[in-house]
Amino acid sequence: MNGTILIVEDEATIADTLLYALENDGFNSNWVTTAHQALETIAIGKTDLVILDIGLPDMNGFELLKEIRRFSDLPVIFLTARSTEIDRVVGLEIGADDYVTKPFSPREVVARVKVILKRVSRTDQATHDSKKRFEVDTDAAVVRFLGQPLQLTKAEFILLRTLLEQPGRVFSRAQLMESIWQYPHPSDERTIDTHIKAIRAKLRDIDRHAEPVCTHRGLGYSIAP
Ligand code: CA
């Protein structure tokens, strides 16, 4: 099974074409007609992605998305009918992953569902992989690498923890400096390079071939996802 899709749409004919197209492609799909039913279904926790109509009888799709975002970061695709709705979806930071305009081709919707789910699962995998290698114990201020504790200075610990919080994200030296000192610091940004060098040496002591810290020339550093 490819995943479970929740369709929130009060028009049966539209929901039907989507259900048909999704099930044809091996998706499990559920259909509800109101925002309240949608919230109940999402709360159960078996949904992988939501296709959300903006014009719903009990709440509009924008409000519903806000409610969903209170407790869930599920991917959401909006179905929009009017150009005013499209403007809001495109123009505002409302936390939707994509949108399609009515009338739409169900196959197009299914294609987007696939793209988004693939992206989400890659991100999850990346986070999972780095978490397997690294273990951060914030209370004890210890990072373990492949099960062994690293002997880090305070600055090195904060730096590594910051990088590990978002595997794959490139942090600039300035951002890393601020994570250490909490405020813009007058010391040279090259200090970061020195700390990174020290961290790398400590990682290599544990695994000679380990190179989890990536240098991005002119940009900064990241942890390899
Ligand atoms: Ca509607």
Side-chain angles (χ1 to χ4, degrees):
M1 200 55 77
N2 285 330
T4 301
I5 314 302
L6 176 65
I7 301 166
V8 190
E9 166 63 80
D10 56 327
E11 279 171 73
T13 49
I14 292 177
D16 271 347
T17 57
L18 283 175
L19 285 167
Y20 181 78
L22 285 165
E23 271 162 26
N24 239 356
D25 248 286
F27 287 97
N28 199 357
S29 45
N30 297 311
W31 169 37
V32 297
T33 55
T34 68
H36 285 101
Q37 290 169 330
L39 287 169
E40 277 171 19
T41 309
I42 293 166
I44 296 167
K46 293 203 173 123
T47 305
D48 296 304
L49 183 145
V50 185
I51 298 176
L52 183 54
D53 181 35
I54 291 179
L56 293 168
D58 55 341
M59 196 189 281
N60 76 44
F62 298 119
E63 290 165 25
L64 175 54
L65 179 59
K66 237 187 261 170
E67 290 299 315
I68 294 172
R69 284 287 172 263
R70 281 176 201 272
F71 66 95
S72 161
D73 57 0
L74 273 181
V76 169
I77 299 176
F78 268 129
L79 299 179
T80 65
R82 292 188 302 272
S83 60
T84 49
E85 291 175 349
I86 300 166
D87 288 348
R88 278 196 73 187
V89 173
V90 177
L92 294 176
E93 283 278 312
I94 49 175
D97 296 81
D98 205 348
Y99 72 99
V100 286
T101 51
K102 295 177 180 177
F104 53 78
S105 121
R107 280 168 63 190
E108 168 69 18
V109 179
V110 172
R112 297 205 191 182
V113 166
K114 285 183 184 165
V115 168
I116 291 170
L117 286 180
K118 204 178 277 173
R119 192 169 68 208
V120 170
S121 81
R122 259 204 314 263
T123 314
D124 285 355
Q125 191 60 41
T127 311
H128 183 73
D129 283 355
S130 328
K131 285 205 171 128
K132 256 194 326 207
R133 287 180 300 163
F134 287 98
E135 221 179 302
V136 181
D137 184 342
T138 303
D139 291 335
V142 168
V143 178
R144 271 180 284 275
F145 179 57
L146 302 172
Q148 296 187 49
L150 293 163
Q151 305 296 327
L152 302 172
T153 65
K154 186 175 174 225
E156 289 163 9
F157 170 74
I158 295 171
L159 232 164
L160 188 53
R161 187 187 61 189
T162 304
L163 291 170
L164 283 169
E165 273 164 6
Q166 287 165 281
R169 174 178 161 188
V170 180
F171 288 87
S172 69
R173 291 180 177 81
Q175 284 167 335
L176 292 171
M177 299 257 291
E178 238 180 279
S179 74
I180 297 174
W181 289 286
Q182 315 283 306
Y183 52 85
H185 196 269
S187 79
D188 191 328
E189 285 186 5
R190 296 291 146 183
T191 324
I192 296 296
D193 299 347
T194 311
H195 290 315
I196 293 281
K197 206 172 156 193
I199 292 171
R200 280 180 166 149
K202 288 170 185 180
L203 292 170
R204 270 197 302 270
D205 284 346
I206 292 173
D207 177 354
R208 211 154 48 86
H209 303 290
E211 203 43 273
V213 182
C214 311
T215 306
H216 301 264
R217 211 170 279 276
L219 296 170
Y221 295 100
S222 73
I223 284 281

